[in-house]
Amino acid sequence: MAFFSVVIPLYNKEKYIQKAIQSVLDQSFDDFELIIINDGSKDESLTKIEAIKDKRIQIVNQENAGVSATRNKGVSLAKSEYIAFLDADDWWERDFLLEIKTLITNFPEAKIFASKYFRVKNGIKTANLNYENETFSGYLDYIKAYIFAWWMPLTSSSIVISKSVLEEMKGFNEKLKFGEDFELWIRIILKYKLAYTNKVLVNYLQDVEIENRAVQRKIWKKEEHFIFNLDFLNPFLTEKTDLKKLIDGLKVRSLHYFYRKGVYKNEVRSLLNSVDFIKQSFRYRFYYNYPFFISESYFRLKILASKIKQKLK
């Protein structure tokens, strides 16, 4: 039995999937199986993966079911105790699995493991600020690390989770289409420790065509967006002040587009009423508390400036 099961959910990523797969096959630690779930791709993705011959690769085709169901399918097929996820447009550095194996060995109380990652946009790589020192490897406080720079400490391509924990948590919430990863991470983090290395070993691509990304500036159905589905955290918010700060920050960041468009007015207002706005930055106090036409004019100017910037590039 392989030490790792690597799960790649695949939907219409013909431009990127071969690079993702090759980054797995090139790992310095090669004791793994690779499970690729083709989630009803309509482009040439399937042709691309079938061209790669390696006995460690298992390809499963299914009707389109969404990324959460696809990842859960991969977990159900995995034979290893440690499940690594890699999105089809991202890629690993050569020692990712080796460093995760080291974390598993050195930090036995953890059930979730991850490395720092590069965000890749317009060909430029950017790594988040270090909550811990640059050489840090150890148990990381996920919540404090998140609010330190308001940058996700974990992505679905930088994480490895014990299969037994994924089964205990019943995997990803298949109703969610935005923020499904955070919703699962926070459920796990509330119960189990995270082992983390500040070595930058993952590349998280943000150049993918907009129709193939889960973008924030979109009106999701409330049952599909994580921010409307965090009631299970309410019992923890009083005693865990850092968790309260994190969730409040995510609310003001995630709800602004719904607020601007006047969608789900009652639900949005209810969620915003629970936010401690005194502790929010001026930017978000401005967005929500100043007269709507002033903040809306400011927001439209920002969008226009961004469009001009893109045209100049």
Side-chain angles (χ1 to χ4, degrees):
M1 183 175 69
F3 191 87
F4 291 106
S5 292
V6 181
V7 175
I8 298 181
L10 173 61
Y11 180 71
N12 289 354
K13 297 289 175 65
E14 63 180 7
K15 294 181 181 178
Y16 313 100
I17 183 58
Q18 287 183 319
K19 184 173 184 176
I21 293 172
Q22 199 60 50
S23 79
V24 178
L25 300 180
D26 289 343
Q27 288 295 296
S28 56
F29 183 85
D30 62 0
D31 187 13
F32 60 81
E33 62 171 352
L34 174 54
I35 303 169
I36 305 170
I37 310 293
N38 177 35
D39 189 32
S41 294
K42 298 176 182 178
D43 62 1
E44 294 299 312
S45 291
L46 181 59
T47 301
K48 297 285 187 181
I49 62 178
E50 288 179 336
I52 301 175
K53 305 301 181 183
D54 191 291
K55 64 181 181 181
R56 293 167 295 183
I57 297 177
Q58 176 184 357
I59 299 172
V60 177
N61 294 302
Q62 66 179 29
E63 295 294 321
N64 182 257
V67 69
S68 293
T70 302
R71 290 181 184 136
N72 288 342
K73 176 70 171 179
V75 172
S76 72
L77 296 173
K79 298 181 178 67
S80 309
E81 171 56 18
Y82 296 103
I83 313 296
F85 296 101
L86 178 62
D87 285 352
D89 50 352
D90 298 337
W91 66 98
W92 290 337
E93 297 298 322
R94 188 169 185 271
D95 290 334
F96 174 71
L97 290 180
L98 179 64
E99 293 295 336
I100 296 296
K101 172 70 164 56
T102 301
L103 290 177
I104 292 169
T105 301
N106 292 344
F107 303 100
E109 295 181 44
K111 294 292 185 181
I112 181 170
F113 310 87
S115 82
K116 193 173 177 179
Y117 62 92
F118 284 120
R119 182 173 60 184
V120 184
K121 190 171 181 63
N122 298 321
I124 299 172
K125 291 185 175 185
T126 307
N128 56 308
L129 296 173
N130 288 311
Y131 173 65
E132 302 283 359
N133 64 66
E134 286 188 14
T135 60
F136 174 82
S137 286
Y139 296 114
L140 182 74
D141 187 321
Y142 170 79
I143 295 171
K144 287 183 177 179
Y146 201 132
I147 61 182
F148 173 72
W150 286 105
W151 182 306
M152 302 179 301
L154 307 176
T155 75
S156 51
S157 294
S158 67
I159 198 167
V160 173
I161 306 174
S162 166
K163 182 177 181 179
S164 59
V165 170
L166 287 167
E167 291 173 338
E168 175 191 346
M169 298 290 169
K170 302 188 186 311
F172 293 89
N173 182 338
E174 296 185 8
K175 293 181 180 179
L176 298 181
K177 295 185 178 180
F178 185 81
E180 75 290 334
D181 44 5
F182 171 82
E183 193 269 350
L184 177 57
W185 309 160
I186 201 68
R187 282 191 278 133
I188 297 173
I189 291 296
L190 287 174
K191 187 170 182 180
Y192 295 106
K193 289 185 177 181
L194 161 67
Y196 188 90
T197 177
N198 262 338
K199 294 181 180 180
V200 189
L201 299 168
V202 175
N203 298 277
Y204 169 44
L205 185 66
Q206 295 193 309
D207 287 339
V208 179
E209 297 84 356
I210 195 165
E211 65 269 17
N212 287 328
R213 285 192 287 128
V215 292
Q216 192 162 332
R217 290 178 184 174
K218 174 178 177 178
I219 299 300
W220 296 97
K221 296 177 182 178
K222 59 185 178 180
E223 61 269 21
E224 296 175 341
H225 196 297
F226 81 105
I227 206 66
F228 295 97
N229 294 277
L230 297 177
D231 288 350
F232 67 91
L233 292 176
N234 290 341
F236 301 96
L237 296 180
T238 301
E239 60 184 68
K240 295 182 180 293
T241 56
D242 285 333
L243 179 61
K244 165 71 171 165
K245 184 175 181 179
L246 173 61
I247 299 306
D248 280 0
L250 291 175
K251 285 177 181 177
V252 298
R253 287 162 172 79
S254 298
L255 291 170
H256 188 247
Y257 199 63
F258 292 91
Y259 177 79
R260 286 182 60 223
K261 298 299 182 181
V263 178
Y264 301 133
K265 287 185 177 180
N266 292 337
E267 293 88 345
V268 169
R269 179 48 56 190
S270 176
L271 289 172
L272 291 174
N273 284 342
S274 68
V275 171
D276 187 350
F277 270 95
I278 296 298
K279 296 181 179 178
Q280 303 307 308
S281 68
F282 173 78
R283 174 185 178 185
Y284 291 105
R285 297 200 306 273
F286 174 78
Y287 280 167
Y288 290 108
N289 295 327
Y290 277 67
F292 181 78
F293 76 93
I294 295 177
S295 61
E296 181 66 7
S297 297
Y298 171 76
F299 199 79
R300 289 181 179 276
L301 283 173
K302 284 192 67 176
I303 294 174
L304 177 61
S306 177
K307 289 181 178 178
I308 292 172
K309 184 179 178 180
Q310 292 300 317
K311 285 185 177 180
L312 290 175
K313 285 183 178 180

